Amino acid sequence: MCGIIGRVGDGDAIDTLLTGLENLEYRGYDSAGVAVQNGAGIKVQKRSGKVQELKNSINGAPLEGRVGIGHTRWSTHGPPTDENAHPHTDSTADVAVVHNGIIENYATLKTQLREQGHEFTSDTDTEVIPHLIQQYLDEDMENEAAFRRAIERLEGSYAVAVMFSGEHVIYAARQGSPLVVGIEDDEFFLASDVPAFLEYTDSVVYLEDGDVAIVEPDGVEFTDLDGNAIVREPETVDWDPEQAGKGEYDHFMLKEIYEQPTSLSQAIEGRIDPETGSIDLDGFPAGTFEGVDSVQFVACGTSYHAALYGSLTLTQAGVQSTALLANEYSVSAPPVDENTLVIAVTQSGETADTLSALRKASENGAQTVTVTNVVGSTASREADDTLLIRAGPEIGVAATKTFSSQAVMLTLLGQRITADVRGEESVGDLSPLLSDLERMPDQIESVLERSAAREIAEEYDGSQSYFFIGRGLGFPVALEGALKFKEITYEHAEGFASGELKHGPLALVTPDTPVFAVFTGVEDEKTLKNAEEAQTRGAPVIAVCPEGHPATDIADAHLEIPEADSDLAGLLANVQLQLVSYYAADLLDRPIDKPRNLAKSVTVE
């Protein structure tokens, strides 16, 4: 949600800022703006709507400068208008600010500032920041001191970047909202996410809560809020800049669906050995989870479905496990102690609800692990251990390749946990599972080449509702299939445990309600019976299963998947459901990569 870009260096910053904003469009936004300065004052241009509208407004405008900040805004306080777009300035236009997060005490600060004569022109919480800074400047504080004092007054979550008139410096601070610095030889960047500047540099420093970065033409200084120097070493992001582009595909989502053979190969590389039946997860040797007597997964959205997948594999192996929505964890979490393992699943490593749940678990003494896609993310720094899914950058708002990589890595992690909790003999011979996993990238390639998803999307275009059902590990896949469909088509879709159809949802079934039934090889006869119950009430049934499966005899349509271990079959079915969602949304001419009201990374609770 929201995006920040900043740049300090030689030459004009405008093109770099606009490129950065375009690279951040996937995060979700409803307005955009930039501010630059060349030593003679700050110039601001901002617009509600898309970055292209901002670019159109800049054409011919006298806007240039070596230092600049930009922002894509997701509306929280105030509607998406030109006035509410960032950057915001003080009344003298000597201070410009961009901000992600929520200032919880903004109303109190705004009242105090108004009493001191400040006039506000927007409905945002952000505007209090430049006015606070202006207040301290009026008290004869230097720029840096005024910035630090203003930041001290803020309560809530924030990533803030500030520019002062006449000074070629960007001041930045973070608390609860991601911020990363990019370092090149003679150019420095600041952003909410690495893809903003990935084409310029892969050397990054992730700021931690309480950090301040002072970005100048000759380098970056890192301090705490009190001004004490701190050390933050650069890391190299192992992402190819070309991965952040669409290439030959019409949409990032389709590109990322087709990248799953590669992303899964990257996820398992060096981690499995089918011949010996062994798993080697970096940082998780035998005995890592000795003493654990229960496991809790916390996650949101697609990551929650992956967490549910991981939880079910553990439960089936005899380990006490549950998957919980991270945004409900603060009010409904089961008790935890030092024998509880809490696994936070988050693609970005910055999901606010998941971070909150992770922190609560840590405070109560639980052992914590995060499963994430981003090196150096907040979750990876705060958890006791990190398991990277190595999926590469995912730009489409609707998660695809990260779900499959998360589910696979949680399946492997589950084997390590089971061996430590119940003994090595409890996991049995893993060679068949690992052999199937090694074949999985090729099997997904086969699914992609032969899928009938486009034809099925066309056949059922215009239906009233779309139901997805599955049993066991097919259940989280059904939930994920429905989520993908509703996210990008805007059509009504719901996922159910197969057996739950007759406990209420069957009342909604009509001939205008196609039912996608996922078969994983576990109790398929029961899922088939549930599908037939819907079919007898007129609903068309689309079976997602291997060729020759009994379901193909009764189904109205078939999405074929290869034969696979039951722990993995659902993930092959998931690829077919992703394709159905994509083609259905394309038929409806939806903005597939940027669905309305949604953001890639939800960084506020």
Side-chain angles (χ1 to χ4, degrees):
M1 299 176 78
C2 300
I4 287 174
I5 180 68
R7 183 265 189 187
V8 177
D10 292 330
D12 191 16
I14 280 292
D15 287 344
T16 302
L17 294 174
L18 292 174
T19 297
L21 293 181
E22 288 176 326
N23 291 343
L24 290 170
E25 286 187 296
Y26 71 95
R27 291 174 65 91
Y29 72 107
D30 46 46
S31 58
V34 294
V36 293
Q37 69 111 346
N38 54 20
I42 293 174
K43 301 293 184 184
V44 175
Q45 194 84 349
K46 55 185 183 177
R47 288 286 185 277
S48 62
K50 299 302 181 184
V51 172
Q52 185 58 50
E53 295 175 55
L54 173 66
K55 292 175 72 173
N56 293 341
S57 73
I58 288 174
N59 286 339
L63 205 64
E64 61 179 23
R66 293 191 293 139
V67 179
I69 52 178
H71 191 265
T72 52
R73 176 177 183 253
W74 173 278
S75 297
T76 51
H77 295 94
T81 63
D82 290 355
E83 292 78 15
N84 288 335
H86 297 211
H88 288 285
T89 63
D90 66 320
S91 57
T92 65
D94 286 335
V95 180
V97 174
V98 292
H99 158 241
N100 288 353
I102 294 178
I103 306 302
E104 294 174 357
N105 62 333
Y106 88 98
T108 300
L109 293 172
K110 194 170 187 177
T111 298
Q112 293 171 353
L113 288 163
R114 275 180 168 155
E115 290 172 353
Q116 294 167 331
H118 292 262
E119 296 183 4
F120 290 81
T121 60
S122 79
D123 304 309
T124 69
D125 55 337
T126 301
E127 197 184 355
V128 302
I129 302 174
H131 284 276
L132 265 179
I133 294 172
Q134 179 192 1
Q135 183 67 30
Y136 294 124
L137 291 174
D138 290 344
E139 296 174 9
D140 292 328
M141 283 189 183
E142 298 294 328
N143 290 350
E144 183 178 336
F147 165 78
R148 291 182 185 276
R149 184 69 187 95
I151 296 299
E152 287 176 354
R153 297 282 305 279
L154 305 181
E155 296 175 7
S157 64
Y158 55 78
V160 176
V162 178
M163 233 171 36
F164 293 88
S165 178
E167 187 178 21
H168 290 107
V169 180
I170 297 175
Y171 297 88
R174 86 157 263 177
Q175 182 66 46
S177 196
L179 206 54
V180 59
V181 173
I183 299 173
E184 191 51 39
D185 292 338
D186 56 357
E187 199 171 15
F188 301 92
F189 306 90
L190 187 75
S192 47
D193 207 353
V194 171
F197 55 68
L198 186 58
E199 61 205 81
Y200 303 108
T201 182
D202 60 1
S203 179
V204 305
V205 175
Y206 293 93
L207 299 190
E208 300 186 14
D209 282 351
D211 283 3
V212 169
I214 303 172
V215 187
E216 302 182 78
D218 58 354
V220 185
E221 178 186 0
F222 299 99
T223 75
D224 61 19
L225 196 53
D226 294 327
N228 301 308
I230 55 177
V231 177
R232 293 284 179 257
E233 296 293 341
E235 302 178 39
T236 300
V237 178
D238 189 22
W239 289 354
D240 184 339
E242 291 187 8
Q243 289 182 284
K246 281 189 290 191
E248 62 187 20
Y249 295 91
D250 291 334
H251 298 93
F252 280 110
M253 182 181 178
L254 186 62
K255 173 177 178 279
E256 287 155 4
I257 290 171
Y258 272 80
E259 284 178 343
Q260 286 176 107
T262 300
S263 61
L264 281 176
S265 294
Q266 292 171 174
I268 64 177
E269 183 180 1
R271 289 169 160 172
I272 65 170
D273 186 341
E275 290 188 9
T276 62
S278 61
I279 298 171
D280 182 13
L281 299 179
D282 18 283
F284 296 92
T288 299
F289 303 110
E290 282 183 3
V292 168
D293 57 25
S294 66
V295 181
Q296 297 173 10
F297 293 81
V298 292
C300 302
T302 288
S303 292
Y304 171 73
H305 298 153
L308 182 58
Y309 201 98
S311 175
L312 289 172
T313 62
L314 273 179
T315 299
Q316 291 172 4
V319 177
Q320 184 178 330
S321 173
T322 185
L324 302 154
L325 288 166
N327 37 49
E328 288 293 304
Y329 195 76
S330 61
V331 294
S332 60
V336 303
D337 56 27
E338 66 276 7
N339 297 320
T340 308
L341 172 64
V342 174
I343 301 175
V345 188
T346 161
Q347 176 265 321
S348 66
E350 304 291 350
T351 307
D353 299 306
T354 306
L355 290 174
S356 178
L358 179 65
R359 288 162 183 157
K360 180 174 181 179
S362 295
E363 289 167 3
N364 291 329
Q367 182 178 346
T368 59
V369 170
T370 188
V371 178
T372 185
N373 194 36
V374 181
V375 177
S377 61
T378 301
S380 68
R381 294 196 305 271
E382 296 193 6
D384 296 326
D385 294 290
T386 297
L387 180 59
L388 293 170
I389 66 170
R390 306 195 304 212
E394 185 176 69
I395 306 302
V397 168
T400 51
K401 64 179 182 178
T402 52
F403 172 77
S404 55
S405 292
Q406 284 172 335
V408 164
M409 296 319 298
L410 288 172
T411 300
L412 295 179
L413 182 62
Q415 300 297 334
R416 177 71 274 147
I417 295 169
T418 301
D420 285 348
V421 172
R422 303 192 65 232
E424 292 285 349
E425 68 284 353
S426 66
V427 300
D429 181 11
L430 293 177
S431 294
L433 170 65
L434 301 185
S435 293
D436 270 12
L437 184 52
E438 191 175 51
R439 287 193 295 270
M440 195 172 177
D442 288 339
Q443 290 182 318
I444 290 179
E445 195 76 57
S446 172
V447 168
L448 295 169
E449 290 174 356
R450 301 167 57 186
S451 176
R454 186 195 296 268
E455 292 78 8
I456 286 173
E458 292 171 350
E459 174 71 20
Y460 299 107
D461 181 35
S463 296
Q464 183 180 38
S465 293
Y466 301 81
F467 286 175
F468 298 76
I469 63 172
R471 187 177 295 267
L473 291 176
F475 173 45
V477 171
L479 292 177
E480 176 61 11
L483 177 61
K484 282 289 124 349
F485 201 93
K486 70 181 74 172
E487 277 182 317
I488 62 170
T489 68
Y490 308 159
E491 300 297 309
H492 179 251
E494 293 296 333
F496 305 100
S498 299
E500 281 297 295
L501 263 184
K502 57 183 173 288
H503 294 284
L506 205 56
L508 301 174
V509 166
T510 72
D512 206 24
T513 311
V515 175
F516 292 82
V518 176
F519 296 91
T520 64
V522 174
E523 295 193 346
D524 280 359
E525 66 284 355
K526 292 183 178 179
T527 299
L528 181 56
K529 184 175 184 297
N530 301 138
E532 288 179 304
E533 289 171 340
Q535 193 178 49
T536 59
R537 287 151 179 85
V541 170
I542 301 93
V544 191
C545 60
E547 184 65 41
H549 190 283
T552 60
D553 294 333
I554 69 100
D556 298 277
H558 177 213
L559 288 166
E560 183 182 351
I561 60 173
E563 294 279 357
D565 186 284
S566 61
D567 280 357
L568 304 176
L571 301 182
L572 297 169
N574 175 65
V575 176
Q576 289 281 26
L577 298 182
Q578 290 172 346
L579 289 169
V580 169
S581 297
Y582 173 81
Y583 289 120
D586 198 38
L587 284 169
L588 294 166
D589 197 28
R590 304 300 194 212
I592 291 172
D593 289 332
K594 306 166 196 170
R596 67 187 180 201
N597 304 330
L598 299 179
K600 183 63 176 173
S601 180
V602 181
T603 56
V604 294
E605 293 187 71

